């Protein structure tokens, strides 16, 4: 393994995943991961540009930042790249009206979006909202469209809460893809467009950036395919065999 | 298209799918499809052997047969090949203790199966039972196993009830496969073992049998791959583009 100095040569920007890297969600909002508050503070004191690049789709950016600040992190809304705002931009650009299968906590991000007479479906990490009834409704909306369009805010398999591993949006995306015989458009990591917008916000090129995350596919694989460096932490959903199976 | 006489030359046995072919499920048990009660009666009066080959996994065979008899069909439990009894046989043969994610209506089929300290997961068409909590529990059981084994009773995408299209077990199988990075073992159509046992019960060879169903993958594709003839009805979940996409 190359020395750290060598591996980080030329890096000007650091993208930080949030869940599993800075904190683990759970009862009462969750808990900061040991050392992470200080690590963010040190990064911000350094010459490096820092941006938070998350697939969090249960909470609005405002709520997420509020939670992180209560946990002691130095972070503001403008520093966060998240999939719901990115999805809203795409919906507007393409004149699409979504049926939303999302968590109540993120619904406010879609306040400016017309959801009448839907011509596409947007799913996010809906948690308990992934009831059979809600999944069936999303399925029926898609099956009634001549050209069914499904957006998925991320495609993570699972994430870690303080109480254990939890199914993420990815499995439900796969369920609807199979049911309807379609392929979803992923908004969020590992989509290249998502990394592109995060890098643009930082003013940093891909080869000058490093992504730090706990997801071997969404964070590490996605960043590397986009020409960035990547580092997998051993917190969050990290499991030893990930490194081999990814 | 060849004439009917030619297409059916040498056929000695007819396998009938149930849901979407004989009846559509729904409120109050569902409704017989026009002409199907009489068609079954005529088949039974003919020289042909008849067997009912279903992926129904919400109801026990006893309940299913009771429903069909109330709708006017001439059918007995011994004439039905269904996935839950087939799964029980496999579990016993391999000494497996399942965590069950199934509909209450089919649970009695597993009465003789040890479900303590589970070392595999069985999912069936659980309907409303496919809550986030129940899916997450099945996921967690699988993730805690060194060699996760998942059985799916069928892999249908959806079926038709009188009220509309409904998600079947297949999408939920895909969800767990993706979440855990595994491949499920399908018990039911289109699994070759399932057709084999139905044909053995009839005493008919594959090339002497025809499967009649509404599912282009489970019924038609599965039967043809097993060397049987197959016929897709235009009732149930049949949709015009199925014939092209299948």
């Amino acid at each position: 393994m190359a020395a750290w100095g060598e591996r980080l040569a030329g890096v000007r920007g650091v993208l930080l995943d949030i869940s599993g890297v800075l904190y683990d969600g759970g009862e009462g909002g969750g808990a900061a991961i040991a050392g992470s508050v200080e690590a963010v503070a040190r990064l911000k004191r350094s010459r490096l540009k820092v941006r938070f690049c998350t697939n969090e789709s249960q909470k609005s950016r405002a709520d997420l930042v509020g939670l992180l600040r209560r946990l002691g992190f130095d972070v503001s809304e403008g520093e966060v790249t998240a999939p719901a705002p990115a999805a809203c931009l795409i919906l507007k650009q393409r004149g699409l009206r979504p049926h939303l299968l999302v968590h109540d906590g993120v619904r406010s991000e879609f306040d400016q979006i017309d959801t009448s007479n839907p011509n596409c479906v947007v799913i996010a990490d809906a948690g308990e909202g992934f009831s059979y009834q809600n999944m069936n409704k999303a399925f029926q909306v898609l099956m009634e469209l001549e050209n069914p369009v499904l957006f998925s805010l991320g495609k993570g398999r699972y994430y870690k809460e303080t109480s254990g591993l939890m199914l993420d949006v990815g499995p439900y995306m796969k369920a609807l893809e199979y049911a309807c015989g379609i392929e979803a458009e992923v908004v969020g990591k590992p989509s290249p467009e998502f990394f592109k917008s995060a890098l643009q916000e930082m003013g940093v090129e891909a080869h000058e950036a490093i992504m730090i995350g706990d997801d071997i596919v969404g964070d590490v694989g996605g960043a590397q395919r986009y020409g960035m460096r990547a580092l997998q932490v051993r917190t969050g959903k990290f499991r030893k065999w990930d490194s081999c199976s990814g």
Side-chain angles (χ1 to χ4, degrees), chain A residues 15-18 51-57 61 64 79-90 109 152-155 185-202 204 206 209 211 217-219 222-223 226 228:
Chain A
L15 289 93
L16 292 170
D17 179 31
I18 295 178
R51 191 162 182 88
F52 303 88
C53 186
T54 179
N55 270 8
E56 170 64 55
S57 66
R61 268 195 298 191
L64 178 61
E79 295 172 308
V80 176
T81 299
C88 289
L89 207 63
I90 294 171
E109 296 276 18
S152 182
L153 303 199
K155 61 171 191 175
E185 298 182 33
V186 177
V187 181
K189 299 174 284 187
S191 138
E193 291 77 14
F194 196 69
F195 287 117
K196 183 180 174 186
S197 77
L199 291 171
Q200 279 177 341
E201 294 280 350
M202 299 171 86
V204 163
M211 174 79 220
V217 175
D219 297 323
Y226 196 64
M228 297 159 65

Side-chain angles (χ1 to χ4, degrees), chain A residues 225-245:
Chain A
R225 263 198 307 281
Y226 196 64
M228 297 159 65
R229 275 166 270 193
L231 191 75
Q232 188 182 22
V233 294
R234 296 187 170 232
T235 50
K237 79 183 108 183
F238 171 81
R239 288 159 66 104
K240 216 169 173 183
W241 47 258
D242 265 359
S243 317
C244 311
S245 72

Side-chain angles (χ1 to χ4, degrees), chain A residues 19-79:
Chain A
S19 173
V21 174
L22 303 189
Y23 86 116
D24 284 323
E27 287 295 315
I33 291 168
S36 60
V37 170
E38 173 55 18
V40 170
R42 282 182 63 187
L43 277 172
K44 289 202 148 188
R45 286 196 303 268
S46 77
R47 57 167 186 85
L48 295 164
K49 296 190 180 185
V50 177
R51 191 162 182 88
F52 303 88
C53 186
T54 179
N55 270 8
E56 170 64 55
S57 66
Q58 273 205 358
K59 300 178 186 70
S60 67
R61 268 195 298 191
D63 288 349
L64 178 61
V65 164
L67 167 66
L68 291 173
R69 293 180 70 88
R70 281 196 299 281
L71 294 175
F73 290 99
D74 173 11
V75 52
S76 65
E77 237 180 288
E79 295 172 308

Side-chain angles (χ1 to χ4, degrees), chain A residues 59-233:
Chain A
K59 300 178 186 70
S60 67
R61 268 195 298 191
D63 288 349
L64 178 61
V65 164
L67 167 66
L68 291 173
R69 293 180 70 88
R70 281 196 299 281
L71 294 175
F73 290 99
D74 173 11
V75 52
S76 65
E77 237 180 288
E79 295 172 308
V80 176
T81 299
C88 289
L89 207 63
I90 294 171
L91 293 167
K92 280 181 190 160
Q93 284 166 348
R94 291 165 53 179
L96 291 169
R97 300 178 306 275
H99 169 80
L100 297 172
L101 173 44
V102 303
H103 197 279
D104 282 343
V106 81
R107 210 167 282 271
S108 63
E109 296 276 18
F110 296 90
D111 275 351
Q112 304 305 313
I113 299 291
D114 179 8
T115 56
S116 64
N117 190 20
N119 56 8
C120 73
V121 168
V122 171
I123 63 168
D125 173 17
E128 301 281 344
F130 281 130
S131 65
Y132 180 75
Q133 201 178 5
N134 287 347
M135 279 291 283
N136 212 48
K137 176 65 188 168
F139 161 67
Q140 288 175 344
V141 169
L142 287 167
M143 290 296 273
E144 276 161 24
L145 297 173
E146 203 174 334
N147 296 305
V149 176
L150 170 64
F151 294 100
S152 182
L153 303 199
K155 61 171 191 175
R157 291 162 55 197
Y158 56 85
Y159 52 91
K160 188 171 168 255
E161 295 224 323
T162 47
S163 60
L165 299 182
M166 307 290 284
L167 287 171
D168 199 349
V169 65
Y172 289 93
M173 175 192 86
K174 289 289 175 185
L176 289 175
E177 285 185 337
Y178 178 72
C180 304
I182 60 174
E183 197 169 332
E185 298 182 33
V186 177
V187 181
K189 299 174 284 187
S191 138
E193 291 77 14
F194 196 69
F195 287 117
K196 183 180 174 186
S197 77
L199 291 171
Q200 279 177 341
E201 294 280 350
M202 299 171 86
V204 163
E205 299 291 323
H207 70 273
E208 302 170 320
I210 186 163
M211 174 79 220
I212 297 176
D214 64 334
D215 189 311
I216 191 73
V217 175
D219 297 323
V220 175
Q224 288 177 340
R225 263 198 307 281
Y226 196 64
M228 297 159 65
R229 275 166 270 193
L231 191 75
Q232 188 182 22
V233 294

